[in-house]
Amino acid sequence: MIEELKKDKTMKKQTFWPEVSRYGAIVGGVEVLFLLLGALFYGKSALTMLFSVLHVAIFVTLIYLFTKRRSVLYGADGYTFGDGMKFIFFVSLLGGVLAGAYDIVARNWLFPGLYREMADTMLTAMAQAKLPTSQLVEVKESLNKTLFSPIYVVGSDVLGLGLRGLFFGLFVAAFTRREVNIFEQSDSE
């Protein structure tokens, strides 16, 4: 009986990274879809707002479903808040890596004009705020370096999705945690 419990715990540990990979790829794919939709419908504020709300709703739903599925695997052993947060965080990080890879391609080859237009819009807003010309030149140089830099793009996507996962993960992990079933454990001993 004790060997079965050890084998069960090992199985849960062994399924962690494959599940993170699978679910992270799905989250990353959804992130790429919404990045693509945002680029295709840039400037259409009603659609952009709809996509933003839908984006958050789908993200939260996915991490809830994936974490709930993982918590069921733990059965009578329980699934702690920390287990859920760790799982959500790593799924989000992997999704961020995939979204960052797409974002590099989008910014440098698919839609470079769109991203330059976005940068120009930001610079115009700063110019209207009466910033000194020397500062505007520095901001423009910095913006051009970071906006198309692969390291910056992937880093910001990983950080952004990781933080989003942590924030929404606070709520999701609270709803998916499972208490240890002491009665079921005592039957197996």
Side-chain angles (χ1 to χ4, degrees):
M1 196 57 65
I2 293 175
E3 288 300 318
E4 282 182 31
L5 291 174
K6 286 181 182 178
K7 191 177 186 181
D8 190 43
K9 286 186 182 194
T10 304
M11 170 92 166
K12 290 172 196 163
K13 287 179 183 176
Q14 289 175 345
T15 63
F16 181 80
W17 289 111
E19 286 186 10
V20 164
S21 301
R22 183 178 331 118
Y23 299 144
I26 293 169
V27 167
V30 169
E31 192 71 20
V32 165
L33 174 69
F34 280 102
L35 285 170
L36 182 62
L37 288 172
L40 293 174
F41 294 101
Y42 177 71
K44 297 174 176 67
S45 60
L47 276 175
T48 305
M49 180 61 88
L50 175 67
F51 289 149
S52 296
V53 171
L54 194 59
H55 185 191
V56 170
I58 289 174
F59 176 77
V60 172
T61 302
L62 285 175
I63 63 170
Y64 174 78
L65 292 174
F66 298 155
T67 309
K68 187 71 173 172
R69 186 176 294 167
R70 179 121 179 108
S71 73
V72 170
L73 178 68
Y74 280 68
D77 292 339
Y79 191 73
T80 66
F81 178 82
D83 291 334
M85 283 298 294
K86 181 173 84 171
F87 181 71
I88 292 166
F89 179 67
F90 285 114
V91 166
S92 299
L93 286 182
L94 182 62
V97 169
L98 296 175
Y102 162 78
D103 219 359
I104 291 169
V105 172
R107 290 178 189 216
N108 290 298
W109 294 289
L110 296 178
F111 309 110
L114 173 69
Y115 285 95
R116 280 186 179 48
E117 182 183 331
M118 287 180 192
D120 289 343
T121 303
M122 285 188 275
L123 289 171
T124 302
M126 289 179 196
Q128 290 174 350
K130 307 259 190 266
L131 285 177
T133 308
S134 61
Q135 281 185 333
L136 285 174
V137 170
E138 285 180 37
V139 169
K140 184 174 183 173
E141 288 173 5
S142 176
L143 197 57
N144 284 331
K145 284 180 187 174
T146 58
L147 196 59
F148 299 99
S149 164
I151 292 174
Y152 169 78
V153 172
V154 172
S156 64
D157 282 344
V158 169
L159 180 65
L161 207 55
L163 290 174
R164 188 184 325 155
L166 286 175
F167 176 73
F168 290 114
L170 291 170
F171 305 101
V172 170
F175 285 107
T176 57
R177 71 184 180 87
R178 296 168 52 115
E179 297 296 328
V180 175
N181 187 341
I182 58 172
F183 298 110
E184 193 171 317
Q185 277 187 335
S186 64
D187 291 341
S188 64
E189 290 180 1

